[in-house]
Amino acid sequence: MKKILVIEDNKDILENTVEILGLSNYEAIAASNGKEGIEIALSQLPDLILCDIMMPELDGYGVLHIIQKNPNLEKTPFIFLTAKTDKADIRKGMSLGADDYITKPFEVTDLLNAIDSRLKKAKLSEKAIQGKIEGENEQIQMAGADTVLKNFVEGRHLDHYKKKQRIYSEDNHPIRLYYIQKGRVKVYKTSEEGKELIIQIVNPGNFFGYVAMLENDVYKENADALEDCEIAAIPKNEFNELLNSNLNVSHKFIKLLANDIAERESHLLHIAYNSLRRKVADALLILSEKYKDNTEDFNIHLSRENLAAVAGTATESLIRTLTDFKTEKLIEIKEGGIKILNAEKLRQMVN
């Protein structure tokens, strides 16, 4: 039950208002002047305050001023309840921070509607503040995790992998967590016919190989170097110790795992239901994000076979579609790779 403080020096109006609020399922508290109202507000911490303006000793403006200076009461909805209807008085009350202004005599429905409206707004505001705090806390936690992980990989020995070299294989048990210092890695599955489907491309500054470790299972895919790479390999027991000792790091990897699952499901759905043109357009957009290096003039450096494996189509079909896209001036094909000329049209095609 919401608690409402009514501050009113007119005895009849005070009793009437308290009775109306009680019948409307509110807990109403009465104060016959401003000074008494402040004392009750400080001790009872009401959910809303109804306050007359013209009162002896301490008027409504003074009450509002004191309320707003108190950290426990400053967010409390405040409605002026007065016989004064002069626009200057209304402007003064609202400029001081009042939430609403009801003139006497008032209709019961007008009073109750104003109270209900202000309580709902206060609740929404509280939720928004709480959501912001939770979001900031999550950012702080993630920032803390990033710092810990940076220190965790710093100074470790880097293994060098040549382009196309295998890093780990499907059905093997994971014994290391991998971190890319330089280069890119493709994570892919191979069908019984030997056809590849790339499910992830890992960029520098990212971990990979953690899914099987978190699931305590074997690798369900292969990982090969897309280009010459420098990779730090962290022993499984060290990774597990870090997860068990640092809650922020555990949360980060759970979030990474959830994102990986969502991205893979989306990618597989596109491959299963999209047309050839949409598959290729989607693959180009995905890869453009992976290869983007904060410069406007960047190319996708990927073999046609690997690009076809991302798109989930045959290499010959991919080449024909790329030729069509080039003719339509959606892409430019150079020796250095593929450059997207019209990303907006590709997005429209996918959507």
Side-chain angles (χ1 to χ4, degrees):
M1 185 180 290
K2 293 294 183 182
K3 190 186 299 182
I4 297 177
L5 171 61
V6 184
I7 308 172
E8 170 63 66
D9 64 335
N10 185 302
K11 185 180 178 182
D12 291 337
I13 295 176
L14 178 61
E15 291 177 352
N16 242 350
T17 306
V18 168
E19 184 179 356
I20 289 168
L21 294 175
L23 292 171
S24 303
N25 204 30
Y26 292 112
E27 180 186 346
I29 310 167
S32 57
N33 59 65
K35 187 178 177 183
E36 183 187 356
I38 290 294
E39 291 171 355
I40 293 174
L42 291 170
S43 62
Q44 296 288 327
L45 299 179
D47 297 295
L48 183 142
I49 298 172
L50 282 172
C51 184
D52 187 20
I53 288 185
M54 299 302 293
M55 294 183 293
E57 294 188 35
L58 183 65
D59 64 14
Y61 300 134
V63 172
L64 177 59
H65 180 76
I66 294 171
I67 292 293
Q68 291 182 329
K69 293 294 181 183
N70 188 287
N72 294 324
L73 295 168
E74 60 180 350
K75 301 295 183 184
T76 305
F78 194 100
I79 300 176
F80 275 129
L81 188 65
T82 181
K84 297 194 72 173
T85 56
D86 186 78
K87 288 184 179 180
D89 293 313
I90 293 175
R91 281 197 300 272
K92 181 178 179 181
M94 301 306 283
S95 66
L96 288 172
D99 294 284
D100 211 340
Y101 202 110
I102 299 176
T103 57
K104 299 180 285 188
F106 53 79
E107 294 289 337
V108 173
T109 52
D110 291 340
L111 174 66
L112 295 178
N113 286 339
I115 291 172
D116 183 59
S117 173
R118 291 301 155 186
L119 288 174
K120 283 179 179 176
K121 286 185 178 180
K123 188 176 181 180
L124 288 172
S125 177
E126 186 180 341
K127 281 185 178 180
I129 292 170
Q130 186 59 36
K132 184 179 179 184
I133 291 171
E134 289 174 357
E136 288 174 350
N137 286 340
E138 184 177 353
Q139 287 179 351
I140 291 169
Q141 286 183 352
M142 289 300 105
D146 289 340
T147 302
V148 171
L149 289 170
K150 181 181 177 183
N151 294 332
F152 186 59
V153 299
E154 205 167 63
R156 287 187 180 269
H157 171 74
L158 296 174
D159 295 320
H160 296 263
Y161 290 85
K162 294 291 185 183
K163 184 178 179 179
K164 296 185 179 182
Q165 187 175 347
R166 178 65 52 87
I167 299 165
Y168 64 74
S169 299
E170 189 174 359
D171 293 328
N172 284 349
H173 287 275
I175 57 173
R176 299 180 186 88
L177 171 72
Y178 297 96
Y179 176 83
I180 303 180
Q181 184 69 35
K182 180 182 177 183
R184 290 181 175 86
V185 168
K186 68 173 180 179
V187 179
Y188 64 98
K189 296 182 75 70
T190 307
S191 68
E192 292 180 0
E193 297 79 25
K195 183 180 177 182
E196 286 186 10
L197 174 63
I198 295 177
I199 54 179
Q200 186 183 20
I201 290 179
V202 191
N203 285 335
N206 289 297
F207 293 91
F208 68 102
Y210 52 81
V211 175
M213 295 177 74
L214 292 173
E215 293 178 343
N216 197 26
D217 201 354
V218 296
Y219 291 120
K220 294 183 174 67
E221 65 283 313
N222 304 302
D224 291 359
L226 267 176
E227 52 200 63
D228 290 351
C229 293
E230 294 179 3
I231 297 174
I234 297 116
K236 182 179 180 179
N237 65 312
E238 291 186 32
F239 177 54
N240 286 335
E241 284 175 13
L242 180 62
L243 288 179
N244 293 330
S245 63
N246 193 302
L247 189 61
N248 290 346
V249 172
S250 295
H251 286 165
K252 182 175 179 69
F253 274 96
I254 289 170
K255 194 170 182 179
L256 286 173
L257 181 61
N259 288 341
D260 284 349
I261 292 170
E263 285 181 8
R264 290 182 187 188
E265 285 182 351
S266 175
H267 185 46
L268 290 172
L269 281 172
H270 284 170
I271 289 172
Y273 296 108
N274 281 351
S275 66
L276 176 60
R277 283 172 63 86
R278 293 178 81 178
K279 286 180 186 180
V280 177
D282 189 41
L284 290 171
L285 291 170
I286 290 171
L287 292 169
S288 71
E289 288 302 314
K290 292 292 182 183
Y291 277 83
K292 199 163 187 177
D293 55 5
N294 297 322
T295 62
E296 290 187 8
D297 189 24
F298 71 94
N299 297 323
I300 299 170
H301 302 279
L302 203 65
S303 71
R304 298 297 181 265
E305 290 77 14
N306 281 325
L307 183 50
V310 174
T313 187
T315 305
E316 297 77 11
S317 301
L318 171 90
I319 292 171
R320 285 198 303 271
T321 307
L322 290 178
T323 302
D324 291 342
F325 285 178
K326 180 183 177 182
T327 303
E328 295 166 32
K329 300 192 184 310
L330 299 178
I331 62 171
E332 185 178 0
I333 301 175
K334 304 178 180 177
E335 287 186 10
I338 298 171
K339 180 179 179 181
I340 294 179
L341 300 177
N342 196 328
E344 187 58 35
K345 278 199 174 181
L346 290 176
R347 289 191 192 96
Q348 290 173 3
M349 197 181 299
V350 172
N351 297 328

